C-alpha cells in the first residue's frame, strides 16, 4: 500500500484525544508548513491560522463548539480563519501577490484584471466571498490532516460550532472569519470502521 493510501486509511475523525500526549514541536511545525504550502485560487493564500494553546481560551470555546471534547483534549487546536477583505480585487495585497511572481507591471495589470473579472460576481457579497476563501482553507486543512496521518498523528475536522460566537471570543478583526477548526493529537479509542459509499455510487464515466 502506498504511504498516501496508508495515511488516508489511518486518518479518521478522532473523537477523544489522549490528554497526556503532546505532538513534538518539530512535527507540529511541519503540519503548519503543509498548510502554508497548500495551493490556493490565484495563489491568494487567504487562510490565517490561529493555534489555540491557552487553556482558558479553549475552555471558553468548548461550549461554543457543541461541547465537543476534542477542543480541550487535543494536543494542538488549529482554527483556520480567512482574511476576506484583503482578497478583494482593489486590495494592495492582491497586487503584491501577483508582483511577487516577478512579472512586468503590464503582466501584473493583466493578472489583476482577470482576477477582478473572476471575483466580480462574488466580491461584493460577504457570504459568497467568505465561502470562496473558506473553500480554499479546507484544502489546506485536508492536507494538514492527511500529512499528520503519515506521522501517525490523529486529527478531527470540526465544523460543529457557533460561528459568530467563536469569532467574537477570538476577537477577530473586521473581514476575518472562521472557516474550520482542526484538532490534532493522539487517539484514545480504536479507530471506528471507515464507512464510505461504493465507487460506482460516486463515479460515473462519460
Ligand atoms: C468539514 C467537516 C466538518 C466536520 N465536523 C465535525 C465535527 O464538528 N465534529 C466531529 O466529531 N466530526 C466532524 N467531522 C468528521 C466527519 O463526521 C467524518 O469525517 C465523517 O463522518 C467520516 O468519518 P471518518 O472521517 O472518521 O472516516 C467533520 C468532517 C468534515 C469534513
Amino acid at each position: 500500500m502506498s504511504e498516501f493510501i496508508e495515511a488516508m486509511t489511518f486518518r479518521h475523525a478522532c473523537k477523544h484525544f489522549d490528554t497526556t500526549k503532546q505532538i513534538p514541536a518539530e512535527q507540529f511545525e511541519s503540519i503548519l508548513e503543509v498548510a502554508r504550502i497548500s495551493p490556493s485560487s490565484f495563489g491568494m493564500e487567504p487562510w490565517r491560522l490561529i493555534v489555540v494553546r491557552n487553556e482558558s481560551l479553549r475552555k471558553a470555546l468548548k461550549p461554543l463548539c457543541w461541547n465537543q471534547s476534542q477542543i480541550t483534549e487535543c494536543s494542538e487546536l488549529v482554527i483556520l480563519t480567512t482574511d476576506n477583505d484583503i482578497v478583494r480585487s482593489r486590495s494592495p495585497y492582491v497586487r503584491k501577490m501577483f508582483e511577487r511572481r516577478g512579472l512586468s507591471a503590464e503582466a501584473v495589470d493583466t493578472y489583476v484584471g482577470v482576477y477582478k473579472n473572476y471575483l466580480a460576481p462574488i466580491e461584493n457579497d460577504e457570504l459568497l466571498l467568505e465561502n470562496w476563501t473558506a473553500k480554499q482553507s479546507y484544502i489546506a486543512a485536508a492536507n494538514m490532516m492527511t500529512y499528520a496521518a503519515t506521522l501517525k498523528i490523529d486529527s478531527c475536522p470540526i465544523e460543529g460550532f457557533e460561528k459568530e460566537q467563536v469569532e467574537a471570543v477570538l476577537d477577530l478583526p473586521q473581514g476575518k472569519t472562521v472557516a474550520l477548526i482542526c484538532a490534532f493529537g493522539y487517539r484514545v479509542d480504536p479507530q471506528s470502521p471507515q464507512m464510505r459509499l461504493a465507487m460506482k455510487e460516486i463515479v460515473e464515466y462519460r
Side-chain angles (χ1 to χ4, degrees):
M1 199 169 20
S2 80
E3 195 191 352
F4 185 80
I5 298 293
E6 215 174 290
M8 289 294 289
T9 311
F10 175 89
R11 192 218 57 79
H12 70 296
C14 185
K15 306 296 177 199
H16 290 287
F17 290 97
D18 187 338
T19 53
T20 65
K21 286 192 191 162
Q22 281 297 309
I23 299 173
E26 208 173 292
Q27 290 193 345
F28 181 60
E29 276 155 27
S30 70
I31 293 172
L32 296 177
E33 172 66 3
V34 164
R36 191 184 73 84
I37 63 177
S38 287
S40 57
S41 184
F42 287 94
M44 284 301 142
E45 303 174 45
W47 46 70
R48 299 293 179 265
L49 276 47
I50 301 175
V51 181
V52 182
R53 288 178 168 165
N54 182 289
E55 212 176 305
S56 44
L57 182 51
R58 284 203 194 183
K59 277 189 183 146
L61 288 169
K62 191 180 167 197
L64 309 178
C65 301
W66 301 1
N67 264 322
Q68 300 192 64
S69 52
Q70 298 97 320
I71 300 293
T72 47
E73 288 176 356
C74 69
S75 170
E76 298 285 5
L77 186 70
V78 179
I79 304 194
L80 290 109
T81 73
T82 55
D83 202 338
N84 309 312
D85 282 347
I86 58 165
V87 298
R88 289 203 163 86
S89 59
R90 62 185 172 276
S91 149
Y93 174 86
V94 168
R95 202 168 178 87
K96 202 182 81 191
M97 295 302 259
F98 287 127
E99 278 169 353
R100 69 180 174 171
R101 300 179 185 207
L103 303 165
S104 65
E106 294 75 33
V108 171
D109 285 344
T110 305
Y111 268 99
V112 171
V114 171
Y115 182 81
K116 193 173 178 206
N117 282 343
Y118 180 80
L119 233 60
I122 63 168
E123 73 170 320
N124 294 317
D125 182 317
E126 294 290 332
L127 197 56
L128 290 178
L129 186 63
E130 194 180 318
N131 283 344
W132 182 67
T133 53
K135 279 195 282 186
Q136 296 164 62
S137 65
Y138 276 55
I139 295 172
N143 286 341
M144 289 166 90
M145 291 187 291
T146 311
Y147 169 69
T150 68
L151 304 173
K152 301 285 180 235
I153 293 170
D154 290 299
S155 60
C156 188
I158 297 172
E159 217 177 32
F161 57 85
E162 305 307 322
K163 191 170 164 293
E164 282 174 17
Q165 292 180 55
V166 167
E167 287 163 358
V169 164
L170 293 172
D171 200 17
L172 291 189
Q174 166 68 28
K176 281 197 183 175
T177 50
V178 174
L180 183 68
I181 300 175
C182 279
F184 294 92
Y186 299 94
R187 69 188 70 181
V188 173
D189 303 317
Q191 180 171 7
S192 45
Q194 204 173 47
M195 284 178 285
R196 295 293 188 270
L197 295 171
M199 194 68 88
K200 67 177 189 314
E201 291 174 281
I202 61 161
V203 180
E204 64 170 302
Y205 294 91
R206 293 184 178 195

